Amino acid sequence: MLIDAVPTNPVPTTLLIERSADRVHVQLHRPEVRNAIDQTMIDELHSVCDELEREPRILILSGSNGVFASGADIAELRERRSTDALKGINSGLFSRIARLPMPVIAALDGWALGGGAELAYAADFRIASTTVRLGNPETALGILPAAGALWRLAQLVGEPVAKQIILAGRILTAGEALAVHLVTEIHESVDLLAAAHALADRIGAQDPLATRLAKEVFHAPLDAHPRVDNAAQAILFESPEKFARMDAFLARKKRS
């Protein structure tokens, strides 16, 4: 049930935000520039991260007017210099989104290019509409995709496909993105948000603490395993929710 559809204070100017008990839906909303990511949007997404770090919930990211995000705001990007690059303006935000305690779902419609694609790569789940176009055309503009594509994309689709996208400017269609597992579902645009919420429902049916710890351990460095797995399991083995859920399972099995 929707419990709060009022944006945070101060009122965001580039985002539309809906909150419910177990999730927050953030819609990128700069339709006049195809949801290009500017500094204001970065700052407002940081505020969303503040909220979700304090009160962990599932995050759904979507676009508006048939576009996820066409990339970084080129007019703003044109004026950035070397000192701005070293600040990691976009990469810092996207890494923060990737580290959020609960899963992040990116619902991709239309253009998801450049920084928009890199924002999607930071999500735990990517689902797409039939109209999606995913890629990183930064080198055509004399820069490189420094907000995650140069390392996240190879992890997601493998080095050969990642190099086609980054070094040769390949833009993936929905079917191509599905074939390389960059997205896991394709829907008509009109059904995309419902599919994102259906996925959030499946995530929400799991134990929140187990989900949070599983995400954290999943992203732990390789040399930390299995120590971190065992430490997380030790916490869950003492969790009241573990006993409640296992007791319910055993009761259902006994009745069947």
Side-chain angles (χ1 to χ4, degrees):
M1 183 192 313
L2 192 66
I3 59 173
D4 180 5
V6 179
T8 54
N9 194 20
V11 176
T13 61
T14 70
L15 308 175
L16 300 176
I17 304 176
E18 292 184 348
R19 299 173 180 81
S20 59
D22 67 346
R23 71 197 64 171
V24 174
H25 173 208
V26 172
Q27 186 177 9
L28 311 181
H29 190 65
R30 297 185 70 215
E32 70 282 1
V33 288
R34 297 185 177 180
N35 303 330
I37 300 170
D38 67 350
Q39 185 64 58
T40 300
M41 186 180 285
I42 293 288
D43 294 341
E44 292 176 354
L45 286 169
H46 271 298
S47 294
V48 172
C49 290
D50 287 340
E51 177 182 341
L52 293 177
E53 288 162 356
R54 292 192 309 268
E55 185 181 349
R57 282 171 286 174
I58 300 161
L59 173 61
I60 297 174
L61 291 168
S62 71
S64 58
N65 291 60
V67 175
F68 180 69
S70 59
D73 189 306
I74 300 301
E76 190 174 89
L77 199 60
R78 164 67 176 75
E79 301 308 314
R80 288 184 179 169
R81 307 305 293 264
S82 60
T83 53
D84 298 305
L86 295 173
K87 292 175 184 176
I89 295 169
N90 287 14
S91 61
L93 170 69
F94 299 166
S95 291
R96 190 177 184 186
I97 288 172
R99 293 193 304 268
L100 285 173
M102 288 292 284
V104 178
I105 301 167
L108 308 175
D109 196 15
W111 296 112
L113 299 176
E118 290 179 297
L119 174 58
Y121 303 156
D124 298 290
F125 300 89
R126 283 162 300 281
I127 66 173
S129 76
T130 55
T131 68
V132 81
R133 296 295 183 270
L134 266 163
N136 290 93
E138 283 90 342
T139 54
L141 295 171
I143 59 173
L144 54 79
L150 289 170
W151 54 280
R152 282 198 182 98
L153 190 54
Q155 293 176 350
L156 293 169
V157 301
E159 182 178 316
V161 175
K163 284 184 174 177
Q164 288 181 35
I165 293 169
I166 293 168
L167 303 182
R170 180 180 174 187
I171 305 296
L172 301 185
T173 64
E176 290 169 337
L178 183 66
V180 298
H181 307 293
L182 187 54
V183 302
T184 54
E185 303 174 24
I186 298 175
H187 302 274
E188 296 297 330
S189 293
V190 69
D191 299 319
L192 182 62
L193 192 55
H197 280 289
L199 176 55
D201 289 341
R202 296 198 295 274
I203 297 168
Q206 315 308 309
D207 171 30
L209 178 60
T211 301
R212 288 174 57 186
L213 289 175
K215 177 176 175 176
E216 182 178 347
V217 172
F218 187 95
H219 290 290
L222 186 61
D223 61 3
H225 299 284
R227 176 181 51 81
V228 291
D229 309 60
N230 296 336
Q233 193 76 298
I235 294 170
L236 293 170
F237 272 10
E238 300 298 330
S239 166
E241 187 69 12
K242 168 235 179 181
F243 292 100
R245 285 175 177 257
M246 289 191 176
D247 286 346
F249 174 86
L250 292 171
R252 288 193 302 270
K253 185 176 180 182
K254 187 175 182 180
R255 290 194 300 269
S256 63

